[in-house]
Amino acid sequence: MTDFNVALEVVLLLGVSFAPLAAGLALRRKFSPAAQEGAEPAVPTGAQKMGRLAGNFLFWGGILGILFMIVAGINMLGWI
Amino acid sequence: MKALRPAIIFLSLALAGGYVSALEPVPWNHKEYSSEFKYFQERAAFTADTWTALGPEAQEKELLEAGQPALDRQEAVRAYYAAALKKWDSPALRDYLANTKETDIKAVHLWLGKEKAAAFSRKLALTHALLKKARAEGLDDEDALALEPHLRPEAIAGLRSLKASAEALKAQTSEKALKGPDSKSTASLDKFAGPDPSKLGADSFSKLYDNMNVSGADPVAAGRGRYGAGAAGSGAAVQFTAPQKKAAFAMPEVRAVPAALPAAQAKSAALTSDAYGITVYSAGGQQPQTFRKGGDAAAAIRKMPDGSITKIIFYGHGAPGTQMVGDFDVDAGGAGEMLKGKLARGGVVQFSGCNTSSIGGATLNPAVGLSMVARRLLYFSLPYFQDRADGVPAEQARQQWDKTWNADLARDTSLNLRGAVVCGYRTFGLVPGRLPGVTRLLGNQEATTPGFVAGKKACYQDGKEVPAQ
């Protein structure tokens, strides 16, 4: 049971840095300008711009978070 | 009863009104409230005029509120005065002479009276004057006798040896000492008829030994002093000496240390960082000493006088409960043992390594949050599964790593070094200078101090958190 709890905790902790990445990707997709073939893309509304901006923040924040975790791991190994 | 109710209400109002009107103004500096008025004066809360302008009720309220703090303050000043009038040892002498301000004497004057303030001032003036004399011309028996009521014997001995130490230092650098032993066997060398030896390519001879281009005409470019023994048996036996001039052709005594060379020469072309070290700042504004090896630092600190270190920085990799400086590990017990009695009052111990303090409370800072997550994963989850793979029972492994992953080196060390401020990092500390490309750019592969550290710092004094320093 202890092993299971610790393993679950590891999954959740690792998920912490992947969650904003996934949320950011979803928001970017949801608010991307829907361009139909041949037609000009519609001018995005204010809400769409805000949604995409939030998505970008989360996406790049998530990437930075993962990079940070990698740097912390390398640091612990004494490589830097 | 109903008929009595208005009468009771009226009576109560009349009594309350009577109480208010019965309050009389308290004159400024009234003897009965002497502590409270001293408290007001020290904080410049009121003057006689502003006090009189207050109504009796407001005065009563102010006096009531100031009662306890005034008593506390009085007690604190009494304790301060009692300690100040005790015989000082050498660290206390240095501390009082360096840190006593005009306001401290004023506080003694206000709370304890003119005579006590005068006694304290006299002691400070006497010790200050005789310290100056001790440095310039040394102390005689009469001076030592005058200091006897104020200083401990070892502090007086320390002052008396100051002159001897200065003379010893002078003798080391005198022309005679540089010239060599005065004997018949060396007499002929004095008749050397050639040009100045330093002009005979002495630098190349020197280079043969230590790869340094120095000659007798210039001081050795060691750039920092070293600890050398002064007069034997004195309180100030160990003292910081300035870089020495070296005679031409002499075997070099001091090897140049890369960190001490001018920046242009100290730069390395290495790609990755091997930066770590211990930096010790001592009282008196001397150049800080840096050490790459922890053992060397520990030996030098042992020789330093008590109360002389104002700041010490341990720089290297850190982990919960441990600071590493190269292959030298420091934990709370080790740091306490190494620095016991050596720190000046309010001295700072800085652990510049990752996770050298606990993670602290909840935060909205995502970077700090990520650092917490990384710490839990690296110092709990990972070793837990390693232990499990080695066959350690689950509950035992959990308890073991639960105890250590959030250890607080800074707080634990502060409990071992009473009065000192001990700082560490709650997070991973990112040092830009350690990044491979940047290391090459800055040429600081063997830096002994970290420079800028991106991390959340926490400081403790006697186990309690204090503002970061």
Side-chain angles (χ1 to χ4, degrees), chain B residues 16-29:
Chain B
Y19 170 73
V20 170
S21 62
L23 277 178
E24 282 183 11
V26 180
W28 178 248
N29 259 340

Side-chain angles (χ1 to χ4, degrees), chain B residues 208-365:
Chain B
L208 194 73
Y209 292 117
D210 63 354
N211 209 28
M212 282 161 44
N213 288 311
V214 292
S215 70
D218 301 309
V220 175
R224 63 174 174 181
R226 62 198 166 88
Y227 275 84
S234 71
V238 175
Q239 59 168 12
F240 196 78
T241 58
Q244 304 289 305
K245 237 185 177 185
K246 191 181 75 168
F249 302 111
M251 280 291 281
E253 279 181 51
V254 186
R255 278 188 72 88
V257 178
L261 287 170
Q265 290 173 41
K267 279 190 172 183
S268 71
L271 188 66
T272 54
S273 175
D274 188 28
Y276 60 82
I278 297 176
T279 308
V280 184
Y281 296 81
S282 44
Q286 292 156 343
Q287 284 264 316
Q289 296 184 87
T290 54
F291 303 90
R292 286 279 286 174
K293 289 185 178 171
D296 292 350
I301 288 168
R302 266 198 299 277
K303 287 182 192 164
M304 292 173 83
D306 281 356
S308 60
I309 298 175
T310 52
K311 187 174 186 180
I312 180 165
I313 302 172
F314 295 90
Y315 171 44
H317 285 293
T322 313
Q323 166 76 54
M324 283 153 270
V325 181
D327 53 5
F328 182 77
D329 289 0
V330 186
D331 60 6
E337 209 172 289
M338 186 179 180
L339 298 168
K340 199 122 209 156
K342 299 293 181 186
L343 287 164
R345 192 177 288 189
V348 178
V349 180
Q350 170 69 58
F351 291 114
S352 288
C354 305
N355 300 308
T356 41
S357 187
S358 58
I359 59 167
T363 175
L364 288 173
N365 184 334

Side-chain angles (χ1 to χ4, degrees), chain B residues 148-227:
Chain B
E148 202 280 326
H150 306 297
L151 302 184
R152 288 191 182 168
E154 70 268 21
I156 297 174
L159 284 182
R160 293 194 83 163
S161 69
L162 269 181
K163 177 76 166 55
S165 305
E167 274 171 359
L169 175 63
K170 210 174 165 187
Q172 278 175 32
T173 53
S174 72
E175 207 176 314
K176 200 178 169 189
L178 291 175
K179 216 166 160 187
D182 188 13
S183 69
K184 280 184 184 172
S185 62
T186 58
S188 59
L189 288 177
D190 286 343
K191 290 170 187 148
F192 190 78
D196 183 348
S198 62
K199 289 174 186 155
L200 288 172
D203 48 355
S204 54
F205 282 98
S206 184
K207 201 172 178 181
L208 194 73
Y209 292 117
D210 63 354
N211 209 28
M212 282 161 44
N213 288 311
V214 292
S215 70
D218 301 309
V220 175
R224 63 174 174 181
R226 62 198 166 88
Y227 275 84

Side-chain angles (χ1 to χ4, degrees), chain A residues 22-41:
Chain A
L25 266 178
L27 280 173
R28 275 157 54 107
R29 279 206 190 125
K30 186 172 169 62
F31 293 107
S32 67
Q36 287 175 353
E37 262 182 59
E40 274 194 28

Side-chain angles (χ1 to χ4, degrees), chain A residues 5-67:
Chain A
N5 287 342
V6 177
L8 190 65
E9 185 191 295
V10 169
V11 171
L12 289 172
L13 290 177
L14 286 174
V16 164
S17 40
F18 285 94
L21 185 82
L25 266 178
L27 280 173
R28 275 157 54 107
R29 279 206 190 125
K30 186 172 169 62
F31 293 107
S32 67
Q36 287 175 353
E37 262 182 59
E40 274 194 28
V43 180
T45 63
Q48 276 176 325
K49 279 183 184 168
M50 287 304 292
R52 226 177 313 157
L53 186 67
N56 277 327
F57 266 117
L58 287 168
F59 178 74
W60 290 108
I63 285 183
L64 284 177
I66 292 165
L67 282 177

Side-chain angles (χ1 to χ4, degrees), chain A residues 3 9-10 65 75-76 80, chain B residues 317 354 370 376 379 384 388:
Chain A
D3 285 344
E9 185 191 295
V10 169
N75 179 275
M76 195 199 81
I80 59 166
Chain B
H317 285 293
C354 305
L370 275 173
R376 177 79 178 170
Y379 294 108
Y384 171 86
R388 291 294 289 139

Side-chain angles (χ1 to χ4, degrees), chain B residues 310 312 321 332 339 343-351 355-361 372 375 406-427 456-469:
Chain B
T310 52
I312 180 165
L339 298 168
L343 287 164
R345 192 177 288 189
V348 178
V349 180
Q350 170 69 58
F351 291 114
N355 300 308
T356 41
S357 187
S358 58
I359 59 167
M372 290 177 181
R375 180 167 173 163
N406 197 22
D408 197 321
L409 175 64
R411 190 196 55 216
D412 295 348
T413 306
S414 77
L415 291 170
N416 289 336
L417 294 168
R418 292 279 168 189
V421 176
V422 187
C423 305
Y425 284 92
R426 293 200 184 286
T427 57
K456 189 178 179 184
K457 205 163 151 182
C459 294
Y460 293 90
Q461 192 169 32
D462 300 333
K464 285 180 189 157
E465 191 166 356
V466 293
Q469 303 211 352

